[in-house]
PDB file of all heavy atoms in Angstrom:
ATOM      1  N   LEU A  28     -35.546  21.831 -24.529  1.00  0.00           N
ATOM      2  CA  LEU A  28     -36.514  20.922 -23.961  1.00  0.00           C
ATOM      3  C   LEU A  28     -37.831  21.633 -23.728  1.00  0.00           C
ATOM      4  O   LEU A  28     -38.943  21.105 -24.001  1.00  0.00           O
ATOM      5  CB  LEU A  28     -36.010  20.313 -22.649  1.00  0.00           C
ATOM      6  CG  LEU A  28     -34.843  19.323 -22.784  1.00  0.00           C
ATOM      7  CD1 LEU A  28     -34.336  18.911 -21.433  1.00  0.00           C
ATOM      8  CD2 LEU A  28     -35.279  18.099 -23.608  1.00  0.00           C
ATOM      9  N   HIS A  67     -39.964  28.986 -16.762  1.00  0.00           N
ATOM     10  CA  HIS A  67     -38.678  28.999 -17.539  1.00  0.00           C
ATOM     11  C   HIS A  67     -37.799  30.164 -17.156  1.00  0.00           C
ATOM     12  O   HIS A  67     -36.606  30.030 -16.943  1.00  0.00           O
ATOM     13  CB  HIS A  67     -38.993  28.994 -19.032  1.00  0.00           C
ATOM     14  CG  HIS A  67     -37.766  29.113 -19.872  1.00  0.00           C
ATOM     15  ND1 HIS A  67     -36.844  28.078 -20.008  1.00  0.00           N
ATOM     16  CD2 HIS A  67     -37.323  30.156 -20.669  1.00  0.00           C
ATOM     17  CE1 HIS A  67     -35.862  28.487 -20.790  1.00  0.00           C
ATOM     18  NE2 HIS A  67     -36.164  29.739 -21.248  1.00  0.00           N
ATOM     19  N   ASN A  72     -33.252  32.394 -14.345  1.00  0.00           N
ATOM     20  CA  ASN A  72     -32.679  33.353 -13.338  1.00  0.00           C
ATOM     21  C   ASN A  72     -31.872  32.610 -12.287  1.00  0.00           C
ATOM     22  O   ASN A  72     -30.785  33.040 -11.858  1.00  0.00           O
ATOM     23  CB  ASN A  72     -33.776  34.182 -12.719  1.00  0.00           C
ATOM     24  CG  ASN A  72     -34.391  35.183 -13.697  1.00  0.00           C
ATOM     25  OD1 ASN A  72     -33.687  35.641 -14.608  1.00  0.00           O
ATOM     26  ND2 ASN A  72     -35.628  35.526 -13.504  1.00  0.00           N
ATOM     27  N   THR A 143      54.376  72.385  11.228  1.00  0.00           N
ATOM     28  CA  THR A 143      55.767  72.351  11.561  1.00  0.00           C
ATOM     29  C   THR A 143      56.492  73.474  10.873  1.00  0.00           C
ATOM     30  O   THR A 143      57.364  74.141  11.486  1.00  0.00           O
ATOM     31  CB  THR A 143      56.381  70.996  11.092  1.00  0.00           C
ATOM     32  OG1 THR A 143      55.655  69.956  11.734  1.00  0.00           O
ATOM     33  CG2 THR A 143      57.831  70.890  11.499  1.00  0.00           C
ATOM     34  N   TRP A 162      70.708  93.262  19.419  1.00  0.00           N
ATOM     35  CA  TRP A 162      71.655  94.132  18.727  1.00  0.00           C
ATOM     36  C   TRP A 162      71.366  95.590  19.016  1.00  0.00           C
ATOM     37  O   TRP A 162      72.320  96.362  19.287  1.00  0.00           O
ATOM     38  CB  TRP A 162      71.618  93.823  17.235  1.00  0.00           C
ATOM     39  CG  TRP A 162      72.629  94.676  16.468  1.00  0.00           C
ATOM     40  CD1 TRP A 162      73.935  94.340  16.262  1.00  0.00           C
ATOM     41  CD2 TRP A 162      72.412  95.927  15.876  1.00  0.00           C
ATOM     42  NE1 TRP A 162      74.559  95.340  15.525  1.00  0.00           N
ATOM     43  CE2 TRP A 162      73.622  96.339  15.262  1.00  0.00           C
ATOM     44  CE3 TRP A 162      71.314  96.761  15.713  1.00  0.00           C
ATOM     45  CZ2 TRP A 162      73.778  97.540  14.596  1.00  0.00           C
ATOM     46  CZ3 TRP A 162      71.422  97.949  15.054  1.00  0.00           C
ATOM     47  CH2 TRP A 162      72.647  98.339  14.454  1.00  0.00           C
ATOM     48  N   VAL A 196      75.735  86.223  27.241  1.00  0.00           N
ATOM     49  CA  VAL A 196      75.312  87.595  27.629  1.00  0.00           C
ATOM     50  C   VAL A 196      75.356  87.776  29.146  1.00  0.00           C
ATOM     51  O   VAL A 196      75.846  88.773  29.647  1.00  0.00           O
ATOM     52  CB  VAL A 196      73.913  87.880  27.063  1.00  0.00           C
ATOM     53  CG1 VAL A 196      73.454  89.245  27.560  1.00  0.00           C
ATOM     54  CG2 VAL A 196      73.917  87.884  25.548  1.00  0.00           C
ATOM     55  N   VAL A 228     101.644 116.857  35.258  1.00  0.00           N
ATOM     56  CA  VAL A 228     102.073 116.532  36.649  1.00  0.00           C
ATOM     57  C   VAL A 228     103.046 115.395  36.630  1.00  0.00           C
ATOM     58  O   VAL A 228     104.076 115.400  37.375  1.00  0.00           O
ATOM     59  CB  VAL A 228     100.855 116.193  37.479  1.00  0.00           C
ATOM     60  CG1 VAL A 228     101.261 115.821  38.886  1.00  0.00           C
ATOM     61  CG2 VAL A 228      99.858 117.344  37.499  1.00  0.00           C
ATOM     62  N   SER A 241     113.911 113.648  48.156  1.00  0.00           N
ATOM     63  CA  SER A 241     113.871 114.854  48.972  1.00  0.00           C
ATOM     64  C   SER A 241     113.251 116.001  48.188  1.00  0.00           C
ATOM     65  O   SER A 241     112.919 115.876  46.993  1.00  0.00           O
ATOM     66  CB  SER A 241     115.301 115.211  49.399  1.00  0.00           C
ATOM     67  OG  SER A 241     116.082 115.478  48.222  1.00  0.00           O
ATOM     68  N   TYR A 249     111.216 118.920  38.706  1.00  0.00           N
ATOM     69  CA  TYR A 249     110.298 119.953  38.143  1.00  0.00           C
ATOM     70  C   TYR A 249     111.066 120.826  37.209  1.00  0.00           C
ATOM     71  O   TYR A 249     110.575 121.246  36.156  1.00  0.00           O
ATOM     72  CB  TYR A 249     109.710 120.744  39.334  1.00  0.00           C
ATOM     73  CG  TYR A 249     108.868 121.904  38.864  1.00  0.00           C
ATOM     74  CD1 TYR A 249     107.585 121.727  38.388  1.00  0.00           C
ATOM     75  CD2 TYR A 249     109.367 123.194  38.923  1.00  0.00           C
ATOM     76  CE1 TYR A 249     106.773 122.777  37.942  1.00  0.00           C
ATOM     77  CE2 TYR A 249     108.636 124.257  38.509  1.00  0.00           C
ATOM     78  CZ  TYR A 249     107.309 124.049  38.000  1.00  0.00           C
ATOM     79  OH  TYR A 249     106.550 125.094  37.605  1.00  0.00           O
ATOM     80  N   GLU A 265     105.355 100.268  13.971  1.00  0.00           N
ATOM     81  CA  GLU A 265     106.265  99.157  13.815  1.00  0.00           C
ATOM     82  C   GLU A 265     107.533  99.340  14.638  1.00  0.00           C
ATOM     83  O   GLU A 265     108.079  98.395  15.196  1.00  0.00           O
ATOM     84  CB  GLU A 265     106.611  99.062  12.301  1.00  0.00           C
ATOM     85  CG  GLU A 265     105.439  98.604  11.437  1.00  0.00           C
ATOM     86  CD  GLU A 265     104.515  99.788  11.118  1.00  0.00           C
ATOM     87  OE1 GLU A 265     104.853 100.898  11.522  1.00  0.00           O
ATOM     88  OE2 GLU A 265     103.468  99.567  10.503  1.00  0.00           O
ATOM     89  N   SER A 287     100.099 107.319  21.366  1.00  0.00           N
ATOM     90  CA  SER A 287      99.133 106.223  21.191  1.00  0.00           C
ATOM     91  C   SER A 287      97.694 106.775  21.362  1.00  0.00           C
ATOM     92  O   SER A 287      96.789 106.325  20.612  1.00  0.00           O
ATOM     93  CB  SER A 287      99.404 105.118  22.198  1.00  0.00           C
ATOM     94  OG  SER A 287     100.647 104.527  22.000  1.00  0.00           O
ATOM     95  N   ALA A 294      94.616 100.939  24.274  1.00  0.00           N
ATOM     96  CA  ALA A 294      95.218  99.769  24.823  1.00  0.00           C
ATOM     97  C   ALA A 294      96.755  99.946  24.904  1.00  0.00           C
ATOM     98  O   ALA A 294      97.427  99.610  25.899  1.00  0.00           O
ATOM     99  CB  ALA A 294      94.897  98.505  24.029  1.00  0.00           C
ATOM    100  N   VAL A 336      75.371  90.104  16.524  1.00  0.00           N
ATOM    101  CA  VAL A 336      75.473  89.955  15.037  1.00  0.00           C
ATOM    102  C   VAL A 336      75.449  88.486  14.666  1.00  0.00           C
ATOM    103  O   VAL A 336      74.791  88.058  13.713  1.00  0.00           O
ATOM    104  CB  VAL A 336      76.750  90.624  14.519  1.00  0.00           C
ATOM    105  CG1 VAL A 336      76.986  90.314  13.027  1.00  0.00           C
ATOM    106  CG2 VAL A 336      76.646  92.154  14.686  1.00  0.00           C
TER     107      VAL A 336
END
Side-chain angles (χ1 to χ4, degrees):
L28 291 175
H67 174 70
N72 290 331
T143 303
W162 183 84
V196 175
V228 179
S241 60
Y249 176 76
E265 292 79 5
S287 297
V336 171

